[in-house]
Amino acid sequence: MKNKTNSRRINCSRCHWTIPVLVFISIPIIVYAIIAVIQAKHNSKPSDIPTSNTSIISETYNFSIKRLLTIDSVADANVCNINETAEDCVLVYNAKVFMTALSLITSTTSNNSFNFPENFTNNTLDCKELRIRRNQLSQIFDPVTLETIFNVSGVPYLVDNNINSFDRPESRSQIDARSLTSRWSTPINYFISQTTDFTPSMIANIHTAISLWQNNTCLTFNELPFITPTTNKSYVLFQRDDQYGCSSPVGYDITEPTSVILIALYCGSVIASIMHEIGHTLGFIHTHQRVDRNSYISIATSNIISDYAGNFFIWSMGTIQFSDVHFPYDYGSIMHYDAYAFSNNDLPTIIALDSRYGKTMGQRQRAAFYDYKQINRLYCTRTDCPQMFNNNACQNNGYLDPRTCSYCICPEGFGGTNCNERDAHSNCGDTILNPTPYSSAQITIKNPSPNSTVSTQQYCVYLIRSISPGKIRLRLDSLNTIAYAVCSLTSLIEVKYQNDLALAGARWCGNTITSDWLNVTAATNTMLVIFRANNSISATSGLPKAGFRATIFFDPEPMPVTLSPTAITTTTTVSTTVSAFVPINILTTIGTTTSTCPQSSFRCRLPSQPTCGGCLNYQPCTTKGTQQCIGYNLQPQLTGCDQIINGVAQCRYVFNRTSYITSCQRTVLLCCPNYQLLSIQSYYFCVYNPQASILSSQWSLIL
């Protein structure tokens, strides 16, 4: 018995040691089990959520998309926002998946099966870099894809529903189509969250970004001091979010009138990045998501982080072309991504088809000319100023100031009353034309050398003109600026050579020159070269810290042909209309007399030149405008004939101007038909050109 008792004691003693060991071992097992359960629950968003599989088959590709939500499974997924309906949640979630899948599909996958990867991360599910709403889906997807999204989501697709059907314009630009009918009312209220830890500098940058939009458009903004449950819900709410910012939904939505802009620390320190997000709220989609983007860029889908591929999806129906003004594709828009956006391997994701624009894309320093112009067209049309964007005197696609309708807003590099001169704010540069227009010539241009070790901003503008298009070529010989993947607007050379000189030009920076910069040809008769640098003399080397040199080549103009005697003695009356602030009817008569010509030199009295080098004349405006302004009586004065080609004198004129007060705001300069008017600053040329049309737009100038 004693032995048994001792035995029990021994066994009990062993038990006393075993129990703590078991407890000690069990605790971490239990903890890990709990963590596993929590983690499994977390990972079920979305890896374990009930989903449906579907396939999309078209004539160009065949692939399947997995892991889609349905209206029946969304409750278990736990992915919806608190104020979001189940239908909206499912549709937007699945739409993002479709956008990502369709963005990753390339033509090389034609007739092959493509399985969309199932390794979704939390970023894919809740990605706020791409902010879309349910009622935007009809602008993003074509009708067939849109119906498929509704069907696989288990949501009825009603073609006559105003949300799903949309009056889709045929031609499109960059503005979200909903913006035409759902624009913000001005002033636009906004509130900066006081509970999301904005730093003072971030708040100051938000205010600056808003001020820039306000100062360059007709928009006004009103900051709300506080928000209450009864506050008007139509306002822009700025919140700090370092995980998912910077992002914004596109445009105003009457069903979601509070537009939340998320600002992260990394972009809250860049004013233009905040302007980018405000641009979305005002109605912009990304430039590289325009329906015409494939004519300007290519997308390297294999280089894109898959979670963000939806940011490269073309909005099929979401952009519009205004009836009275065209907005072209602008590589320099503040709404364009840079070449390496969301790259998974440090290789380009966006490739400009014109390689010279690779470093123009993605700038975040200021809004481009066309960014402001598009917002002004969307919000700032005035019944008392129908000529704001067309039929006005503003050249190079300038437009009338939307607040006053009294002066031209000019593209960068241009200035003057009508945007046809060099920018008066430039502190170096020149206006250059071929000194021998009927033979080839070349001219070297370069920035002036600084003369101090104190840094100063050089803004050089070179306005280069020929008589006819395609006669100007540039070769970049040397460059010394700061090299960036996206050129800084304070250290670069920019060349505008396309048809539309209001667009941002091709930009280059650094000190290496690639082969595509050895021959740049102007599409029109004008090329603009802009150089910017904070320049000074190096204290150690004594050399300029920045600079450039380029050679301008002029190809010869076509040789003029002498007027035939029949053309000289025939009297012709041409009736045309030149639109200034109001239509002006002009009658011009070509005859054998010189009574309408200014006093000529002996050269212009040659028998072969009875019309005084084109007979430059002026027609004062006779129709009243909307307000008083200063007008001028112009007395032409012949300053000489530069040269005689085949007996035809090419005459130059200046004007003695006498001012007077009038309500008529424009004067029209005229050259006789068969003469082309060329204006260089205060000099005007009537150059004989038998190919010139007698249309007023080619032989007259509105002052």
Side-chain angles (χ1 to χ4, degrees), residues 58 107 141 188 232 256 262 298 361 423 484 555 602 620 650 690:
S58 75
S107 59
F141 299 99
I188 300 175
N232 187 331
E256 297 181 50
L262 301 179
S298 63
M361 300 183 299
D423 186 356
Y484 290 107
D555 294 332
F602 76 96
Q650 310 298 319

Side-chain angles (χ1 to χ4, degrees), residues 492-565:
L492 55 70
I493 187 171
E494 177 175 354
V495 182
K496 295 187 176 186
Y497 56 91
Q498 304 285 16
N499 286 301
D500 189 345
L501 297 173
L503 289 167
R507 295 166 179 163
W508 195 246
C509 50
N511 50 27
T512 60
I513 299 173
T514 54
S515 60
D516 52 357
W517 283 93
L518 300 180
N519 187 11
V520 184
T521 302
T524 67
N525 70 331
T526 303
M527 177 182 285
L528 204 69
V529 178
I530 300 172
F531 175 78
R532 291 183 182 269
N534 288 315
N535 211 354
S536 63
I537 295 293
S538 170
T540 55
S541 67
L543 299 175
K545 291 184 177 180
F548 89 100
R549 187 181 72 252
T551 302
I552 304 299
F553 298 91
F554 288 99
D555 294 332
E557 303 284 350
M559 189 68 72
V561 180
T562 306
L563 279 172
S564 66

Side-chain angles (χ1 to χ4, degrees), residues 365-470:
Q365 289 180 270
R366 63 170 175 264
F369 170 80
Y370 268 121
D371 292 335
Y372 288 133
K373 186 175 181 179
Q374 287 189 80
I375 292 299
N376 278 322
R377 174 57 186 85
L378 179 62
Y379 286 95
C380 310
T381 53
R382 294 170 45 171
T383 56
D384 62 337
C385 186
Q387 69 280 10
M388 184 182 298
F389 298 100
N390 62 5
N391 294 330
N392 55 46
C394 307
Q395 299 185 34
N396 294 304
N397 286 311
Y399 61 100
L400 294 175
D401 171 59
R403 294 183 183 274
T404 66
C405 198
S406 62
Y407 64 91
C408 292
I409 303 294
C410 301
E412 184 180 16
F414 288 101
T417 303
N418 303 322
C419 304
N420 65 335
E421 301 175 12
R422 287 176 55 242
D423 186 356
H425 296 95
S426 60
N427 53 22
C428 47
D430 201 357
T431 297
I432 301 171
L433 61 157
N434 188 352
T436 57
Y438 302 105
S439 60
S440 60
Q442 65 183 59
I443 297 174
T444 298
I445 61 174
K446 60 181 180 178
N447 64 301
S449 178
N451 53 17
S452 171
T453 57
V454 178
S455 181
T456 58
Q457 177 66 40
Q458 283 190 329
Y459 170 41
C460 303
V461 177
Y462 300 84
L463 180 59
I464 307 160
R465 281 180 169 152
S466 59
I467 298 173
S468 41

Side-chain angles (χ1 to χ4, degrees), residues 66-282:
K66 298 181 179 180
R67 314 304 296 176
L68 294 174
L69 285 178
T70 68
I71 197 68
D72 297 326
S73 65
V74 67
D76 298 328
N78 192 29
V79 297
C80 301
N81 295 328
I82 188 171
N83 296 323
E84 195 173 25
T85 67
E87 284 192 0
D88 291 351
C89 177
V90 171
L91 288 172
V92 170
Y93 177 94
N94 289 341
K96 291 178 182 179
V97 176
F98 268 70
M99 293 174 73
T100 301
L102 292 171
S103 297
L104 293 174
I105 294 297
T106 64
S107 59
T108 58
T109 61
S110 178
N111 299 322
N112 294 323
S113 176
F114 176 86
N115 292 319
F116 188 72
E118 297 183 33
N119 59 339
F120 285 141
T121 67
N122 195 44
N123 286 340
T124 302
L125 180 66
D126 295 322
C127 174
K128 294 182 174 63
E129 184 68 31
L130 178 64
R131 306 276 294 284
I132 60 175
R133 302 182 177 104
R134 174 181 176 176
N135 60 3
Q136 287 179 313
L137 300 183
S138 60
Q139 285 89 60
I140 298 174
F141 299 99
D142 63 87
V144 174
T145 305
L146 182 62
E147 184 174 2
T148 302
I149 293 174
F150 271 76
N151 290 339
V152 300
S153 302
V155 179
Y157 179 74
L158 306 176
V159 294
D160 58 344
N161 188 312
N162 289 331
I163 293 179
N164 301 335
S165 62
F166 194 86
D167 184 14
R168 301 178 176 92
E170 292 301 321
S171 57
R172 300 171 183 94
S173 181
Q174 187 182 345
I175 295 288
D176 171 20
R178 295 181 316 106
S179 299
L180 287 180
T181 54
S182 300
R183 289 170 283 195
W184 286 91
S185 299
T186 56
I188 300 175
N189 290 324
Y190 71 96
F191 179 72
I192 301 176
S193 174
Q194 301 172 1
T195 60
T196 51
D197 299 325
F198 277 121
T199 66
S201 62
M202 293 173 73
I203 293 175
N205 288 343
I206 292 173
H207 284 141
T208 301
I210 290 173
S211 295
L212 286 169
W213 278 116
Q214 181 169 271
N215 294 339
N216 290 279
T217 66
C218 69
L219 294 174
T220 57
F221 292 81
N222 174 54
E223 183 172 7
L224 300 174
F226 54 85
I227 297 296
T228 67
T230 59
T231 299
N232 187 331
K233 299 300 182 181
S234 294
Y235 62 91
V236 179
L237 174 62
F238 290 90
Q239 289 184 340
R240 179 166 175 175
D241 190 324
D242 289 337
Q243 182 178 6
Y244 294 125
C246 288
S247 62
S248 170
V250 175
Y252 176 74
D253 188 345
I254 193 172
T255 65
E256 297 181 50
T258 301
S259 184
V260 180
I261 296 180
L262 301 179
I263 303 294
L265 180 63
Y266 73 90
C267 54
S269 61
V270 181
I271 293 171
S273 291
I274 301 174
M275 293 185 70
H276 174 99
E277 303 308 334
I278 296 174
H280 281 315
T281 293
L282 295 177

Side-chain angles (χ1 to χ4, degrees), residues 578-638:
V578 180
S579 297
F581 278 78
V582 290
I584 307 170
N585 292 323
I586 299 172
L587 294 177
T588 299
T589 302
I590 308 170
T592 59
T593 67
T594 60
S595 60
T596 58
C597 296
Q599 184 63 40
S600 60
S601 68
F602 76 96
R603 285 186 176 182
C604 286
R605 291 187 182 131
L606 293 174
S608 61
Q609 184 56 36
T611 56
C612 306
C615 188
L616 186 66
N617 203 342
Y618 78 95
Q619 170 69 46
C621 173
T622 58
T623 306
K624 297 296 182 182
T626 59
Q627 58 186 344
Q628 285 194 339
C629 63
I630 298 177
Y632 296 94
N633 285 320
L634 304 177
Q635 179 58 48
Q637 178 184 352
L638 184 66

